[in-house]
Amino acid sequence: MDSKRLVVIDGYSLLYRAFFATRYLSTSDGRPTNALFGFVSMLFNILEKQKPHAIVVALDAPGKTFRHAEFESYKATRRETQDELKVQLKEARKLINTLGIPTVEVIGFEADDVVGTISKLAEENGYHATILTGDLDALQLVDACVSVMTMKIGVSDTITYGPQEVIDRYGFGPEFIPDFKALKGDTSDNIPGVAGIGDKSGSELIVRFGTIESIIENMAEVEPKHRKKLEGNEAQMLQSKYLATIVRDVELVYDFKPFVLNANQMEAAVALMENYEFRQHVRRAPVVLGMYLDGRSPSLSDKPVVVSDEDLLVINQKVENFDELLAFVGEHPYSVFFSTTGEQTDLFEEPVRKAFIAVAKDVREASESDGLRLIEAKPGLAILHDAKPAFKKVGAALSQPHFDSFLAAFVLRSERSNYPLRDLVQGYLDFAPPETPEQMAAALHLLEAPLRERLGKEDQTRVLEEIEMPLIPILAEMEKLGIKASREGLAQFSRELQKTIEETTATVHELCGEEFNIGSPKQLGFILFEKMQIQGGQKTKTGWATGVEVLGELAASHDVCVKVLQWRELSKLKSTYADALQGLIKADGRLHTTYSQTGAATGRLSSNDPNLQNIPIRTELGRGIRKSFHADDGYLLLSLDYSQIELRILAHMCGEPALVQAFLRREDVHAVTAKLMFNLAEEPPSKEQRRLAKMLNFAVLYGVSEYGLAQQLGTGFGFAEAKELIRVYNERFPTVKNFTDSIVVEARSKGFTTTLYGRRRYFPEIHAPKIMDRKAAERQAVNAPIQGTAADMMKLAMIAANQVLQGRRTRMLLTVHDELLFEMAVGEESILEELRSSMEQALPLRVPVEVDAKVGPTWDDMMVVPKSASPVADAFMGHE
């Protein structure tokens, strides 16, 4: 250890930088921790790499400094410190004190001045000092004995500046940093610069003349283009340099006491990090902090942070037969990892070769077929990473697995795009990512405990246990069953579409006066905006913008734009559905989609290969596709669709009396909204008033901005009109406004929002430096609890409906947004009301949940089935 190395940490600067450089993190009970996490990361890195003899943290004392006395507007433009950071600043003091690291703060001076003074004292006492900071102002302190370490990106990508690195960056030495800031200014500190002088011109002046004083003294030699900007600003430049110069002679006391920890301090620091839920730092602490323990306590410093193969206990023994495998497993939970060779296309198609089954601390190798037979025989004991493909392969409606690490990871962090097993092992277990199939099986077995622990801390256990895992066998069965589709029906519709496409193409060409490729954005843009001179086009780097947002705006006044949009819809419908679906119909005459439980951060199910959730349902053209989906012989299709479910959830969550009463009385909620919006007494709202009310109700649901609402409202509505409508809505429905505001506050404070069932969605961009990113995150945060609750309700409805179906021939085929589609067996018509009731009671609200029912031979040709009178409906009346 170098006995003459000192680390000086600019405390608040580092915490501030870490707050914005680290994605938003919080504990399971909602305490923000991202600044603390980044701070500890940097502290551990510098302790590990530099092994300093002493360490000190400089902090900003409360109150104004001498710079404010010199310049009243100093730092006046800095925005108020966010509450989520303020909380962490207090916790940082606690952590620093727990570690026994001395802190120094001096009233009237900034932490920069404390850093500058201590680094100078360090030189005078024979130390080499490293300054750890998030502020490049400290570069002026760099010399042969002082270096500055700061972050480039995030908190792990760092750079250390010595004198040469400063020269490489700026073209001049560290001593000229205050002069440079005096010329170009510093917006973060509100130090005025010289108008028109930027990085390049400021650097040129410093390289040629040196200090501000030298520039002023030699003003006649300054290039005229710069001189006219500098003349008259001499006093300001000198004042700005004074403000930018770090003081190095503050009266303070620091004794360079060696950094030594005792066992109690280390245990207390580790306990704090456990309280912050810094799993990674807790694992590193025994090694990093252990180097500074007084007496090197073996109970702490020698604690292993990497578990070896022996600790994994991977004893690879081949199972001779299936009976031996059953005996090996017994009644213990077991994990199964299927190994593959070559390019994997389908989990249980070639080239799958082997299964590795782990029980307790042992791993056995079995054939793929024996692994699947084991899952079929003991599904409720299986631990898998993405269980649905295996359950689907087995081909029976099984009970849910014992545990699915894939779904557990999704519930914990739904915003991620993928959840590789190796990444989870690295994040939740104390050893390097597994490499061999045996290690994968053993690691998968060991993952259950920490994932369950985290779910418990976040109160999300029931999201996994009561929603996601029970859905696995249900979805597997739905995927295996599929839905009947008519290849000839799709082919006929494709021919009809082709004829309409040709007619639409001819119309577009006639309106434009020439033939061209409508599908080419370049050709279309040229025709519309250059040849036809249509106003309102938007030029981009690659040509004219011809997206739906542009053409949709112009469609009200230009028929050609209407026809182009029609041509696109027809073409997409033909290629994506009418043509593509024909080739996807299997030998059984059915289409088999694949559902993903992890495809949307809200918890919504997504449909792939083919995507049956994007078929247009509100247009005549979309009906043409739905006609081709039909019931099997001896069955009718039954559609059960939640009515206005997200608005009902909003009414439940916010308790807005007008919305709650409208649903309790079975009134038209949009008409009720319109009456309040436009101060209507007894007369019913006009069609336009109801339309506006409906748009506003959904604008609240989806956090639509004034600009977005103006676009949705269409011709005649600009930003001002949309803003006024939102103002009136908020005035008429104050409870809704208070609710949405509280959601944003919660998201800022905790970093996440929750559904009624406890499902979390995280919003790391809620503290983004860019206002556009923050606003987008706030809009998503407003919608997340509502849409997420709707997703939970739909999944619970599928589980409840599946219970009703037990022992019946009727079966569940598809889920599309808020709709469930069944094949109802002829003779089992009474099941309709049982299924409807199961959906309505899946997640009770303070307002009645209603499900619309339709029955028919095809997905399009369906008859509405009104709900039979029921005393249950009356029970909601008066329930507040």
Side-chain angles (χ1 to χ4, degrees), residues 29 116 156 217 258 286 289 293 332 358 370 479 547 561 613 627 713 753 759 786 792 794 862 868:
D29 58 1
S156 58
E217 186 179 338
L289 298 180
L293 272 174
H332 302 289
D370 280 351
E479 290 177 10
C561 295
Q613 296 189 338
K627 285 178 184 176
L713 290 170
T753 59
R759 184 190 299 273
I786 299 166
D792 289 345
M794 175 55 81
M862 305 187 94
S868 58

Side-chain angles (χ1 to χ4, degrees), residues 484-485 487 582-592:
K484 275 280 185 181
R487 190 177 279 107
Q582 294 178 53
L584 295 174
I585 298 173
K586 302 292 186 184
D588 60 2
R590 304 176 81 94
L591 277 169
H592 300 264

Side-chain angles (χ1 to χ4, degrees), residues 260-308:
V260 177
L261 282 169
N262 60 47
N264 290 335
Q265 286 174 316
M266 180 161 166
E267 285 177 355
V270 170
L272 266 181
M273 286 183 271
E274 286 176 337
N275 182 257
Y276 303 145
E277 299 176 6
F278 292 165
R279 192 180 302 105
Q280 175 184 329
H281 295 331
V282 169
R283 289 201 298 268
R284 287 183 67 194
V287 168
V288 177
L289 298 180
M291 296 186 294
Y292 300 92
L293 272 174
D294 185 15
R296 296 277 300 167
S297 169
S299 64
L300 292 169
S301 62
D302 296 338
K303 181 181 176 182
V305 292
V306 176
V307 178
S308 66

Side-chain angles (χ1 to χ4, degrees), residues 563-614:
K563 290 298 179 181
V564 169
L565 290 173
Q566 288 177 356
W567 181 91
R568 286 180 180 171
E569 183 186 11
L570 290 163
S571 300
K572 181 178 180 180
L573 205 58
K574 182 178 185 298
S575 61
T576 305
Y577 296 106
D579 293 343
L581 291 180
Q582 294 178 53
L584 295 174
I585 298 173
K586 302 292 186 184
D588 60 2
R590 304 176 81 94
L591 277 169
H592 300 264
T593 189
T594 299
Y595 289 106
S596 171
Q597 291 170 257
T598 63
T602 58
R604 286 275 189 186
L605 290 167
S606 60
S607 164
N608 307 289
D609 303 321
N611 181 353
L612 298 180
Q613 296 189 338
N614 279 354

